[in-house]
Amino acid sequence: MSAPFKADHVGSLLRPVRIHQARKDFEAGNISKDELFKIETEEIEKVVDKQIEVGLKAVTDGEFRRRFWHTDFMEHVGGFEGYIPEEGYSFNGMKTEAYNIRNIGKISFDKNHPHVKEFILFKEIVGDRAVPKQTIPSPNQFFNYGVRNKEIYPDIEEYTDDIIAAYQDAILAFYDVGCRYLQLDDVYIARLNTEEEPYQESGYNREQLIDLALRVVNGALEVKPEDMVITTHLCRGNYRSTWAFEGSYAKIAPVLFAKENVDGFFLEYDDDRSGDFEPLKEIPDGGPAVVLGLLTSKSGDLEDKEVIKARIEEATNYVPKEQIRLSPQCGFSSTHHGNVLTEEEQWEKLRYVIALADELL
């Protein structure tokens, strides 16, 4: 079976203590950037070995070089910069660490983007032992409120065209360095489903924004080579084991589930705030894989096998079992802070995902 695999995972993993300390030492001026990079590389080597040891067929670098799942990539796209806003995002019961990106010029993508260069080394570390999976934010993340500079891009359609062109270049850049499994992480699309009023300052209503989101992803995917798998993860927020919003996928499903040209959807279904499985009926039979995130990455508690079994059977009312895969609902460390569980609990969770997938799928 090709990616996404029967048992898969979203991507990020808890940062080891050594990386946390190295970051502090770098910020304090006690070690150089090269020394930090070397420590990160050594820890990536260890975490790749561990993923292979527990039985994963697709492995990631754990996002060990990133502070946040999205901004580290986005701030190195031409025409954007990272900055510290007055406050972070609102999550359930807390605010995130304040950091964001903003548009400062015309948009472009350089094939020497840090993530592309880092993938070359990552692929060498993995070798032929597993499939190296690369995660990047979806192009739709650039449509979040306040990112577009209206003085540079007064017309959102011109902004859209340039984002699509940049992501076409990004997809081909990753392909050229050997990436065959790429994942687009998308909080923006999931949020379009739940906002009472669309929060983009474009003047478009919800339906128009959903159509735009589809056009952005499918436009970027027009250049996807046939032997490259590209999936998307639709997330409702993941920060220190909290979440940003709730609601089903019902409003976006008729457009995005039905027409988005990805090879698989990683979907959050770990608790009641995710809604029911009915939106899955919009995914075409024989179409994209449906990776059910039935196990939570927000705690180390292992879910009841019978509950997982029953939920998979329920999902088959809407999508063929042959299309179903299993994973945690999100990464374990979408930001450098990490979720509230131990590394051993993280690995036990991933072992459990693999065991359940082997038995139930």
Side-chain angles (χ1 to χ4, degrees):
M1 185 184 294
S2 63
F5 294 98
K6 187 163 63 173
D8 216 312
H9 74 118
V10 171
S12 65
L13 297 165
L14 294 171
R15 313 297 196 264
V17 172
R18 189 174 177 225
I19 283 185
H20 287 303
Q21 185 59 51
R23 291 272 172 82
K24 291 177 183 176
D25 290 343
F26 173 68
E27 290 167 7
N30 296 327
I31 64 172
S32 68
K33 188 173 183 180
D34 287 345
E35 288 171 315
L36 172 61
F37 190 89
K38 181 175 181 291
I39 290 170
E40 291 169 342
T41 300
E42 290 170 353
E43 294 302 318
I44 289 169
E45 289 171 346
K46 294 176 187 176
V47 87
V48 165
D49 289 346
K50 188 68 175 180
Q51 289 171 84
I52 293 168
E53 177 192 318
V54 302
L56 289 165
K57 290 182 169 60
V59 302
T60 72
D61 64 0
E63 302 182 5
F64 278 8
R65 302 196 198 276
R66 305 186 205 181
R67 292 176 63 253
F68 289 77
W69 63 275
H70 58 320
T71 54
D72 295 68
F73 179 87
M74 296 168 76
E75 67 187 357
H76 288 103
V77 172
F80 296 92
E81 69 173 4
Y83 75 104
I84 300 176
E86 290 185 6
E87 60 181 12
Y89 291 107
S90 294
F91 270 61
N92 183 42
M94 69 173 66
K95 290 274 190 181
T96 68
E97 180 182 336
Y99 199 79
N100 211 334
I101 61 109
R102 59 190 171 196
N103 176 213
I104 57 170
K106 288 294 183 180
I107 301 164
S108 63
F109 188 85
D110 186 342
K111 65 181 180 180
N112 292 313
H113 187 288
H115 281 35
V116 175
K117 295 170 72 174
E118 290 159 8
F119 181 84
I120 298 171
L121 176 56
F122 170 55
K123 186 173 184 295
E124 289 177 2
I125 291 169
V126 178
D128 61 0
R129 298 178 295 161
V131 175
K133 174 180 175 179
Q134 176 69 33
T135 63
I136 62 173
S138 164
N140 281 312
Q141 291 303 123
F142 288 92
F143 290 82
N144 274 315
Y145 181 85
V147 174
R148 174 170 62 101
N149 186 326
K150 291 183 178 180
E151 293 184 3
I152 299 169
Y153 285 101
D155 180 3
I156 194 171
E157 291 297 334
E158 182 185 354
Y159 183 79
T160 298
D161 290 343
D162 284 359
I163 289 290
I164 290 172
Y167 264 74
Q168 289 179 341
D169 290 343
I171 288 169
L172 294 177
F174 279 110
Y175 184 84
D176 287 345
V177 296
C179 178
R180 296 297 181 269
Y181 186 6
L182 181 70
Q183 179 176 293
L184 307 176
D185 293 323
D186 205 327
V187 175
Y188 175 86
I189 282 179
R191 193 163 207 153
L192 280 181
N193 190 85
T194 61
E195 290 286 324
E196 288 303 314
E197 293 294 333
Y199 58 96
Q200 227 300 344
E201 69 274 40
S202 62
Y204 289 178
N205 62 30
R206 186 203 306 274
E207 288 70 29
Q208 290 171 315
L209 288 175
I210 291 172
D211 287 340
L212 180 68
L214 176 71
R215 183 152 45 97
V216 167
V217 174
N218 282 354
L221 292 175
E222 285 179 3
V223 302
K224 182 180 85 72
E226 287 188 9
D227 61 339
M228 188 180 199
V229 170
I230 298 183
T231 60
T232 190
H233 172 230
L234 304 188
C235 177
R236 297 179 181 87
N238 185 52
Y239 181 81
R240 293 181 169 181
S241 292
T242 63
W243 45 270
F245 50 92
E246 54 191 318
S248 80
Y249 295 115
K251 291 184 177 69
I252 62 172
V255 173
L256 292 157
F257 282 6
K259 300 176 184 177
E260 193 168 338
N261 295 327
V262 290
D263 297 302
F265 291 97
F266 280 76
L267 302 175
E268 293 196 318
Y269 275 113
D270 60 322
D271 61 20
D272 291 342
R273 69 188 173 86
S274 305
D276 60 29
F277 293 128
E278 188 172 1
L280 299 182
K281 69 184 182 183
E282 303 291 348
I283 295 176
D285 287 359
V290 180
V291 189
L292 297 178
L294 298 176
L295 296 90
T296 188
S297 68
K298 298 181 187 297
S299 106
D301 296 337
L302 296 183
E303 289 78 359
D304 185 290
K305 183 177 77 171
E306 293 306 314
V307 171
I308 299 299
K309 181 179 180 180
R311 299 206 73 201
I312 289 172
E313 290 306 312
E314 183 185 351
T316 62
N317 292 322
Y318 304 102
V319 66
K321 195 169 188 176
E322 303 79 57
Q323 282 174 246
I324 294 177
R325 314 287 189 267
L326 190 64
S327 79
Q329 107 289 347
C330 197
F332 291 90
S333 189
S334 298
T335 68
H336 64 90
H337 314 86
N339 284 345
V340 185
L341 73 167
T342 67
E343 286 184 55
E344 186 50 43
E345 287 174 328
Q346 166 186 266
W347 297 118
E348 281 302 310
K349 182 79 69 161
L350 288 172
R351 289 188 191 98
Y352 193 44
V353 169
I354 294 165
L356 288 173
D358 285 343
E359 180 178 345
L360 303 177
L361 295 178

